[in-house]
């Protein structure tokens, strides 16, 4: 069976795609139902994970009140690090272990939800830290059993961490971003209440919006699942299956919503923008949770990990950092110019969904049209001008390339094979755009 010519079967390629659908609630005031949801999952003593900034907003208070009003015991942990590390993951796990909790609620962005997943994992099944971490950095040992129930309540809209079995962190001793991946660490329920987004600073909104776009656009332009070698057994089929008809459906709609709402959401937001973007983030999460990202994300880990002196507006951190969404989108125009010819129609459709005027354009120019459309929107939303805008120069190209080339899982999920020289060429093209 093939739904579009993109999925034409390749000899030795997989014939099957699996659909992992997260359990989700969406809507304003859904946070007020958390007590009921936690009780239904059997929680009695709940650890509420958050970070210091979110803890000061009324989202956490609403959640705690709802838990208590349903007779549950709730203890807040507000020490989550923004852009977590192995050290901050371990601190969260210690808190989780000492507190003898039987359930977890996370209220915050990707940093908080990921820390909560890892804390639940290491407190439920204690192990050496690198045991569950992705290979080759860690041992990638499968999670031994079910974790305690976890309800994730995002207060940002980019990461879709509430939908995924992924927890990302910086391994400090290697200056490397890596993660833990297992369907078992996926939250039991994601509660998406768009009313939490109105307090996000403008550049955080822009970074989140482009992260959503990237998840969706990388998923639809990923290598088709029919070209990925068939697994030896059904249990070995990876979460990153490659582009497939299910993720296509969610991702094209996500790109359209980002295209319609991101510029207004950054510059003069109205309620509707937040509803649309949070929904887009969820759709893209469902999409990339089944298809997987590729080059812009693979390159982003080096951009974030090798940061020198960039300090973004709107993130309350006292050290240099390149926020995730920015570290991704600075690579994307250079990548899509390169990958365009591999599946031009998909790039062209993505450009249309982002709002590009396709009159008198040719499908084969899809990659360039998409890159130009992204660049226009980056400028309208205050995103830095490529890698030079976040502190990199020609002198850094080899280090960036070597670090990214190790992200084999993501690079292989792209629509075409990429050599080390081609990767370096993309980093060079991403240095400065305007
Ligand atoms: N697990 C996954 O599938 C996945 C996917 C993509 C990214 N990530 C990871 O997620 C992390 C980034 O997460 P993020 O972009 O959601 O941001 P974040 O959690 O790092 O938060 C960014 C800043 O925004 C603040 N903030 C959060 N919600 C707010 C609100 N409603 N109003 C005002 N301020 C608010 C936080 O306090 C913080 O200072 C990175 O570590 C990244 O690697 C994980
Ligand atoms: Fe991302």
């Amino acid at each position: 069976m093939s739904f579009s010519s993109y999925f034409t079967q390749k000899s030795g390629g997989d014939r099957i795609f699996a659909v992992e659908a997260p359990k989700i609630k969406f809507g304003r005031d859904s946070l007020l139902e958390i007590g009921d949801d936690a009780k239904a999952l059997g929680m009695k003593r709940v650890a509420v994970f958050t970070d210091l900034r979110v803890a000061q907003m009324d989202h956490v208070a609403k959640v705690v009140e709802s838990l208590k009003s349903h007779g549950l015991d709730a203890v807040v942990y507000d020490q989550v690090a923004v852009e977590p590390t192995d050290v901050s993951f371990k601190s969260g796990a210690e808190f989780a272990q000492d507190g003898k909790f039987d359930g977890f609620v996370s209220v915050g962005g990707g940093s908080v939800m990921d820390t909560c997943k890892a804390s639940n994992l290491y407190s439920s099944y204690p192990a050496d830290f690198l045991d569950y971490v992705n290979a080759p950095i860690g041992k990638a040992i499968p999670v031994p059993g079910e974790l305690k129930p976890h309800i994730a309540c995002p207060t940002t809209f980019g990461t879709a961490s509430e939908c995924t079995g992924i927890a990302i962190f910086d391994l400090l001793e290697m200056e490397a971003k890596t993660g833990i991946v297992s369907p078992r660490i996926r939250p039991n329920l994601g509660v998406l209440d768009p009313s939490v987004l109105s307090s996000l600073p403008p550049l955080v909104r822009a970074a989140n919006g482009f992260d959503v776009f990237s998840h969706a656009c990388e998923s639809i332009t990923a290598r088709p699942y029919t070209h990925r070698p068939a697994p030896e057994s059904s249990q070995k089929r990876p979460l990153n299956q490659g582009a497939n008809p299910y993720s296509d459906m969610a991702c094209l709609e996500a790109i359209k919503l980002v295209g319609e709402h991101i510029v207004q959401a950054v510059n003069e937001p109205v309620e509707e923008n937040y509803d649309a973007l949070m929904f887009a983030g969820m759709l893209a999460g469902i999409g990339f949770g089944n298809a997987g990202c590729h080059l812009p994300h693979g390159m982003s880990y080096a951009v974030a990990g090798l940061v020198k002196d960039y300090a973004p507006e709107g993130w309350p951190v006292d050290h240099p950092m390149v926020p995730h969404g920015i570290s991704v989108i600075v690579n994307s125009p250079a990548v899509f110019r390169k990958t365009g010819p591999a599946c031009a129609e998909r790039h062209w459709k993505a450009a249309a969904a982002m709002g590009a005027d396709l009159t008198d354009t040719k499908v084969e120019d899809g990659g360039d049209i998409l890159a130009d459309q992204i660049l226009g929107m980056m400028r309208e939303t205050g995103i830095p001008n490529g890698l030079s805008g976040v502190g990199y120069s020609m002198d850094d190209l080899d280090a960036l390339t070597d670090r990214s080339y190790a992200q084999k899982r993501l690079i292989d999920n792209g629509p075409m094979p990429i050599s080390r020289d081609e990767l370096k060429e993309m980093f060079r093209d991403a240095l400065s755009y305007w």
Side-chain angles (χ1 to χ4, degrees), residues 95-433:
F95 169 82
Q97 193 146 30
D98 294 347
K100 307 211 172 349
F101 301 102
D102 57 17
F104 294 83
V105 175
S106 52
V107 186
S111 297
V112 169
M113 294 184 279
D114 286 5
T115 304
C116 192
K117 292 175 189 175
S119 303
N120 187 358
L121 168 61
Y122 286 98
S123 62
S124 301
Y125 299 101
D128 283 345
F129 186 74
L130 288 178
D131 280 4
Y132 300 127
V133 172
N134 288 341
I137 290 177
K139 292 193 193 149
I141 293 176
V143 173
E146 295 294 317
L147 303 193
K148 291 173 185 144
H150 171 193
I151 302 178
C153 313
T155 60
T156 60
F157 62 92
T159 70
S161 177
E162 72 281 1
C163 302
T164 68
I166 305 173
I168 295 171
F169 65 97
D170 277 315
L171 184 61
L172 291 176
E173 74 212 39
M174 290 180 71
E175 289 183 328
K177 261 209 169 199
T178 181
I180 301 167
V181 179
S182 163
R184 290 207 152 119
I185 66 170
R186 184 162 57 193
N188 302 65
L189 177 65
V191 176
L192 292 93
D193 183 339
S195 65
V196 302
L197 299 182
S198 51
S199 49
L200 284 177
L203 192 58
V204 178
R205 278 177 245 150
N208 281 190
F210 281 113
D211 194 20
V212 170
F213 160 75
S214 302
H215 293 154
C217 197
E218 289 172 51
S219 296
I220 61 165
T221 57
R223 164 176 70 174
Y225 73 99
T226 44
H227 289 208
R228 177 181 41 72
E232 291 159 27
S233 76
S234 75
Q235 298 310 303
K236 293 203 168 150
R237 181 166 291 110
L239 282 175
N240 289 342
Q241 302 178 89
N244 60 74
Y246 181 75
S247 59
D248 275 5
M249 187 179 65
C251 289
L252 261 182
E253 182 62 17
I255 297 174
K256 192 164 149 270
L257 289 170
V258 173
E260 281 169 8
H261 292 274
I262 181 74
V263 174
Q264 189 181 18
V266 173
N267 296 311
E268 38 180 350
V270 295
E271 270 194 4
E272 190 199 338
N273 299 141
Y274 294 125
D275 292 7
L277 288 173
M278 198 168 220
F279 189 60
M282 186 198 96
L283 289 175
I286 293 172
F288 89 86
N290 285 289
C293 291
H294 60 84
L295 290 156
H297 269 75
M299 294 161 77
S300 78
Y301 297 120
V303 176
L306 296 170
V307 61
K308 289 186 276 191
D309 51 11
Y310 181 66
E313 221 174 86
W315 278 261
V317 284
D318 53 7
H319 54 84
M321 67 172 281
V322 186
H324 175 71
I326 295 178
S327 71
V328 173
I329 200 66
V330 290
N331 309 312
S332 297
V335 169
F336 293 131
R337 284 196 204 286
K338 175 83 186 167
T339 55
C343 48
E345 194 185 352
R346 290 185 164 242
H347 290 71
W348 194 67
K349 279 188 180 160
M354 275 296 260
D357 179 0
L358 298 184
T359 322
D360 296 331
T361 62
K362 293 192 195 123
V363 174
E364 63 255 40
D365 296 331
D368 286 335
I369 301 167
L370 176 59
D372 290 341
Q373 180 66 18
I374 300 168
L375 287 171
M377 296 173 98
M378 285 166 69
R379 297 183 75 161
E380 282 183 276
T381 52
I383 295 283
N385 182 4
L387 291 171
S388 60
V390 294
Y392 291 103
S393 69
M394 291 288 272
D395 298 342
D396 302 307
L397 295 182
D398 278 311
L400 289 165
T401 306
D402 288 338
R403 181 68 69 88
S404 305
Y405 205 51
Q407 299 282 347
K408 197 170 158 24
R409 180 179 63 89
L410 288 164
I411 290 175
D412 286 351
N413 203 37
M416 62 203 280
I418 292 290
S419 67
R420 187 190 175 281
D421 285 350
E422 287 171 313
L423 192 59
K424 185 170 172 185
E425 192 188 305
M426 283 186 272
F427 273 125
R428 198 190 51 227
D429 292 346
L431 273 174
S432 175
Y433 292 111

